Amino acid sequence: MPTHTRIRMFNTKDTYPNQALDNDLCQAVRAGNTVYVRGQVGTDFDGNLVGLGDPQAQTEQAMKNLKQLLEEAGSDLSHIVKTTTYIIDPRYREPVYKEVGKWLKGVFPISTGLVVSALGQPQWLMEIDVIAVIPDDWQAK
């Protein structure tokens, strides 16, 4: 019996054709009442980049992805307990965090923010991953 549920499984050779990778991954994992969502960027689930050169637009797409993945896992944005946000330029902090704040108004997660030298693809300006819970008495909408 599996210990967790994998959501949106994929292989990196299909999603990163410009790299010589062959790793089996998934977008999210539900383990008990906890949901772990992998880093989301400004790319939709069809592989299209949204917001080339625009950190706010990329963040908006990443948050749309998070919302969808959490709902597929049986949770939602209101149940996020931890965020980790990566930006490649400290000047992106304001547009990225303002956009995240719109989506997480009233949620009050703990948050870690990092400025990194690069992300997995050169066009990505930001990335965010989250951990959420599914309360015992909650039903997904």
Side-chain angles (χ1 to χ4, degrees):
M1 178 173 202
T3 59
H4 57 278
T5 303
R6 296 169 183 93
I7 297 164
R8 290 189 179 253
M9 294 180 285
F10 67 97
N11 186 285
T12 53
K13 68 183 172 193
D14 300 320
T15 56
Y16 303 105
N18 61 327
Q19 298 176 354
L21 300 174
D22 185 9
N23 300 315
D24 292 325
L25 301 173
C26 60
Q27 294 288 344
V29 170
R30 178 179 173 169
N33 284 4
T34 305
V35 181
Y36 304 89
V37 182
R38 82 185 296 260
Q40 296 298 306
V41 295
T43 302
D44 66 20
F45 292 126
D46 293 323
N48 303 306
L49 178 68
V50 176
L52 181 64
D54 183 344
Q56 180 276 326
Q58 289 190 21
T59 305
E60 180 180 29
Q61 181 60 51
M63 296 306 294
K64 287 178 183 177
N65 294 350
L66 286 174
K67 179 180 186 301
Q68 183 171 339
L69 290 166
L70 287 171
E71 289 172 356
E72 289 177 20
S75 188
D76 72 16
L77 293 172
S78 72
H79 298 304
I80 291 175
V81 297
K82 168 93 169 79
T83 68
T84 305
T85 305
Y86 309 85
I87 56 176
I88 64 162
D89 187 317
R91 294 172 292 185
Y92 296 159
R93 187 174 190 276
E94 191 170 315
V96 167
Y97 278 80
K98 280 185 174 182
E99 187 64 32
V100 170
K102 288 179 197 175
W103 289 79
L104 300 183
K105 188 74 172 164
V107 176
F108 301 99
I110 59 174
S111 176
T112 299
L114 302 163
V115 178
V116 296
S117 61
L119 294 168
Q121 296 289 334
Q123 66 272 23
W124 295 345
L125 306 177
M126 61 74 58
E127 185 167 343
I128 183 170
D129 64 65
V130 303
I131 300 171
V133 296
I134 304 168
D136 291 332
D137 61 350
W138 190 77
Q139 293 292 322
K141 297 173 184 169

